[in-house]
Amino acid sequence: MPRYIFITGGVVSSLGKGLASAALGALLQARGYSVRLRKLDPYLNVDPGTMSPYQHGECYVTDDGAETDLDLGHYERFTGVPASQSDNITTGRVYQRIIERERRGDYLGATVQVIPHVTDIIKQFVLSDAGDADFVLCEIGGTVGDIEGLPFFEAIRQLGQELGHERAVFVHVTLLPFIKVAGEMKTKPTQHSVKELRSIGIQPDILLCRCEIPIPPGDKRKIGLFCNVRESAVIEGMDAASLYDVPLAYHKEGLDREVLRCFGIGDAPEPDLTKWHKISQTIAEPDGEVTIGIVGKYVGLLDAYKSLIEALAHGGIANGVKVKLRWLDSEQFEKDDPFAPLEDVHAVLVPGGFGGRGAEGKVAAARFARERKIPFFGICYGMQMAVLEAARDMAGIEHATSSEIDENGEPVIGLLTEWSRGNEVETRSEADDKGGTMRLGAYPAVLAEGSRVREIYGTSHIEERHRHRYEVNIAYRQRLEEAGLIFSGMSPDGILPEIVEIRDHPWYIGVQFHPELKSRPFEPHPLFASFVAAALEQSRMV
C-alpha cells in the first residue's frame, strides 16, 4: 500500500513547494522506490485553462488532455512519471462534482456541507489511482491560513488520522528571512506558520526552511523546540545554482533520509545520484554558450514559459553549452525599427499564445529569421504566425490572416469547422464556454520522408501534446509548398498540418504542438537539442 507525503507551505507563496516535491520524488526514486506526484489547488477555477499566464504562469498539459498547474511540469521533468487528469484537482472541480451529484439526487436528501462532503471528495482524489506507487506526494497549493485552502487542510488532517503515522507524513515548507539591518535570521515567521498549521490539527513532521544563508545551529535547535519537531527534521533549503542541483542539495541536508525515518524505514538503500551529479557538472561547466531571442507576448512573467525555458536548457545540456535567453516583447516588433535586439542572437524562437495582441510582431520576427537565414523555431501560435508570413511574403497571399485575429482577411489559419464549411468564418459568442474547448493532449503525427524533422526525430511517427483552437487550413497546402514552405508533418488522416519547414534554410521549423512539455533533463526533446545545435553552428559563423 502506498505511503503519503503531504507538502504544505507557509509564510509566503513562491517558496518552491512544487520544486521541493519534485526533488523529493526524484530522491526517493534514486533509492529504488516508485513515486506518484499530485497537486491540490484551492482556487475556484475548474482548471487553469481559462486563466491568464500573468495570473497563474504556464498551463501545463498532460497526455490525456488535462490543463494543469505548472508544478506538474516539475514533477514530470524530475521523475519522468507521466502526469494525468487524476493528478491535479481544484476547488472548482470539487464543487462541480458535488453540485452534479446533488442535482442528480445522489445525496438522498441530505444537507450538503463542506464536512464531510467536500472533504470526502478531496480524500477520494488523494487516494484514487495511486497504482502500485510506493509513495504518493501531494502538494497543497497556497499557504496555510488561506481561507480557500481550509477544506484541503482539513481533508489531509483527516487522512493523517485515518492512515496513521506509518503511512502519512507532513512536510511544511516555510521561510526564514534574514534581516540585513539586524544582521540576523528570524525564526518567528516559521513559528507562527507552524502554530497556524497546528491550530487546524496538523503537526508537521519535517520543516523545509527556505533561507538565504545557512541556518545557525542555535536557530535549528530553537525551531525544533518551538515547532515540536526533531532538530534533524529542520532542513535547510537555500537557493541552488541550477534547478537540477536541488535534489543533490536536499539530499545533502538529509531530506529524504528524514522522510524515511518518519515512516520508520531504516533499511532503505542509499540513493544512486550519479545522473544528477553528471547533469549538475554539465550545467556548471558548459563548453560555450548561445543566445536565443524569444519573441513572445507574456515576457513580463517568465513562469508563463516555464517548460519552454527548461526545454531550451535541456537542449543546451544535450550540446554541452549554456543557453542564454533574450526576452523580447512581440509588440515592439510592430514599431518602425524592431530588429535591433535580434541582430546578434544566434536563433529566434516564437512561442505559443492567444489573441491578436503582438501577432504582427511575431510575423515580423519570423520574416527576419527567414530572410537573415537565422535558425527559427515556431511553436503552436508561433508556427501559425510563420505560416502567415510565408503566405504573405512567399506565396503572395496579400491578405492572409488568422480568423482568431481578423475576420475580414483570407483565413489561412482558422477553426477546423471553418474550412470544412467552405472557408466560412465561424464567430464565437461571448456566452460560449472557453474552458476545455481546445485540442488538448497527445495526438499522433506522420513525418514526411526526406524531411528535416524526420531526420531529427529518427522515426516516421510521433505523438506530441497540443493546446490550441485554431489550425492551418489544409486548402492552402499546395500554394504554400510551391512557394517553399513544406508541410513535413501531418495528422494520420492528412487533414491537420502539424509541422512546417523550409528546406533551403539552416533551420526553420514550425510545430503546431508543444514539444517543450515532453522534454526532460535526461532526455532532451530532439527538436530542442537540434535547435540549440543549429544556434551553436550559427554562433561559430558570426
Side-chain angles (χ1 to χ4, degrees):
M1 297 177 72
R3 296 176 172 91
Y4 291 84
I5 304 169
F6 299 104
I7 298 97
T8 60
V11 186
V12 296
S13 58
S14 302
L15 287 180
K17 294 194 305 295
L19 192 57
S21 302
L24 177 56
L27 290 173
L28 292 171
Q29 273 188 330
R31 289 179 178 269
Y33 296 107
S34 58
V35 298
R36 187 75 180 263
L37 292 96
R38 42 191 41 159
K39 178 76 181 287
L40 286 64
D41 276 311
Y43 52 74
L44 278 169
N45 304 67
V46 173
D47 58 44
T50 59
M51 296 169 70
S52 164
Y54 284 120
Q55 286 281 315
H56 196 257
E58 170 189 70
C59 179
Y60 192 78
V61 179
T62 61
D63 278 337
D64 62 356
E67 294 175 283
T68 70
D69 186 82
L70 64 81
D71 280 331
L72 273 75
H74 287 314
Y75 304 163
E76 284 200 4
R77 284 187 288 272
F78 275 66
T79 68
V81 178
S84 70
Q85 184 84 42
S86 62
D87 291 320
N88 190 202
I89 196 170
T90 68
T91 298
R93 274 183 67 192
V94 171
Y95 277 95
Q96 184 183 55
R97 191 174 302 176
I98 287 173
I99 291 169
E100 288 171 353
R101 291 182 178 181
E102 188 273 335
R103 292 291 84 186
R104 288 196 306 263
D106 292 357
Y107 292 109
L108 303 176
T111 301
V112 182
Q113 298 176 291
V114 173
I115 302 172
H117 300 103
V118 172
T119 50
D120 280 353
I121 291 283
I122 297 169
K123 286 155 63 178
Q124 289 167 17
F125 164 78
V126 170
L127 298 174
S128 67
D129 196 27
D132 57 356
D134 296 313
F135 293 95
V136 177
L137 290 78
C138 292
E139 175 195 349
I140 292 80
T143 58
V144 61
D146 294 343
I147 190 168
E148 62 267 28
L150 287 174
F152 290 90
F153 285 103
E154 171 60 20
I156 64 172
R157 182 200 68 77
Q158 292 179 20
L159 284 171
Q161 291 292 315
E162 293 167 12
L163 294 170
H165 206 261
E166 65 277 4
R167 288 189 60 207
V169 161
F170 293 91
V171 178
H172 192 53
V173 183
T174 184
L175 177 68
L176 292 179
F178 178 75
I179 309 301
K180 292 181 181 179
V181 174
E184 62 180 341
M185 180 177 283
K186 291 297 183 180
T187 65
K188 195 64 72 176
T190 290
Q191 293 178 46
H192 281 298
S193 183
V194 172
K195 181 180 179 182
E196 181 74 24
L197 196 60
R198 293 172 68 184
S199 72
I200 56 179
I202 298 173
Q203 167 62 52
D205 300 290
I206 297 169
L207 296 178
L208 180 53
C209 301
R210 299 284 282 111
C211 50
E212 296 180 53
I213 63 171
I215 306 174
D219 283 346
K220 273 198 174 186
R221 286 193 295 272
K222 182 179 179 182
I223 293 167
L225 179 65
F226 280 94
C227 296
N228 197 32
V229 299
R230 287 191 298 264
E231 185 179 334
S232 62
V234 179
I235 306 297
E236 180 180 285
M238 293 178 61
D239 289 346
S242 158
L243 286 182
Y244 305 110
D245 287 331
V246 173
L248 297 174
Y250 284 165
H251 173 66
K252 182 180 178 182
E253 292 301 315
L255 176 60
D256 51 324
R257 182 173 58 252
E258 197 63 32
V259 166
L260 294 172
R261 182 179 176 183
C262 288
F263 281 119
I265 301 174
D267 57 349
E270 285 298 306
D272 180 3
L273 299 173
T274 305
K275 66 178 185 178
W276 290 101
H277 283 292
K278 184 177 179 180
I279 204 168
S280 177
Q281 184 176 3
T282 301
I283 293 171
E285 301 173 3
D287 186 18
E289 71 177 34
V290 297
T291 301
I292 294 175
I294 300 180
V295 182
K297 62 185 293 186
Y298 307 120
V299 296
L301 180 69
L302 298 188
D303 266 359
Y305 300 110
K306 191 61 186 174
S307 291
L308 180 67
I309 294 168
E310 295 310 310
L312 286 166
H314 304 162
I317 291 168
N319 290 277
V321 298
K322 179 180 179 180
V323 178
K324 293 180 64 178
L325 304 180
R326 183 173 299 171
W327 296 95
L328 304 165
D329 190 329
S330 58
E331 288 186 276
Q332 80 178 72
F333 287 83
E334 298 173 354
K335 300 175 183 176
D336 294 336
D337 183 23
F339 299 121
L342 289 179
E343 291 291 347
D344 60 343
V345 302
H346 304 126
V348 175
L349 189 149
V350 177
F354 295 92
R357 182 175 64 84
E360 292 301 324
K362 294 185 176 186
V363 172
R367 181 185 305 116
F368 177 88
R370 179 179 62 80
E371 292 177 346
R372 298 292 185 92
K373 301 290 186 181
I374 296 173
F376 173 83
F377 197 0
I379 296 176
C380 195
Y381 196 80
M383 169 200 170
Q384 295 175 5
M385 296 304 100
V387 170
L388 288 190
E389 192 279 322
R392 295 171 185 175
D393 301 323
M394 296 170 65
I397 307 172
E398 184 179 354
H399 299 293
T401 188
S402 166
S403 57
E404 182 178 6
I405 301 169
D406 183 1
E407 296 178 1
N408 299 315
E410 192 165 349
V412 175
I413 312 293
L415 295 169
L416 177 60
T417 49
E418 292 178 347
W419 68 78
S420 66
R421 293 200 307 251
N423 281 2
E424 175 188 345
V425 173
E426 177 179 326
T427 58
R428 299 178 66 85
S429 166
E430 288 294 322
D432 288 348
D433 282 349
K434 293 179 175 63
T437 59
M438 294 183 276
R439 184 149 74 104
L440 293 165
Y443 287 85
V446 180
L447 309 183
E449 190 172 349
S451 64
R452 182 187 294 272
V453 288
R454 184 159 173 170
E455 178 186 351
I456 291 170
Y457 275 100
T459 184
S460 60
H461 291 74
I462 61 171
E463 193 172 84
E464 295 281 4
R465 298 179 188 178
H466 294 64
R467 184 176 183 252
H468 58 95
R469 288 190 183 90
Y470 293 81
E471 309 272 357
V472 176
N473 191 334
I474 189 63
Y476 290 89
R477 178 176 184 174
Q478 184 175 347
R479 294 172 69 181
L480 288 167
E481 290 201 323
E482 287 174 353
L485 186 73
I486 307 303
F487 285 44
S488 55
M490 298 291 298
S491 61
D493 59 10
I495 293 176
L496 302 175
E498 297 280 9
I499 307 175
V500 296
E501 61 182 67
I502 296 176
R503 287 178 179 165
D504 58 343
H505 190 283
W507 207 98
Y508 192 103
I509 293 173
V511 298
Q512 183 59 81
F513 45 82
H514 288 272
E516 68 271 23
L517 299 178
K518 296 185 76 170
S519 188
R520 309 286 179 262
F522 306 109
E523 296 180 60
H525 193 285
L527 285 175
F528 282 96
S530 178
F531 178 57
V532 173
L536 183 59
E537 184 64 27
Q538 180 74 15
S539 73
R540 292 167 177 163
M541 296 171 60
V542 174

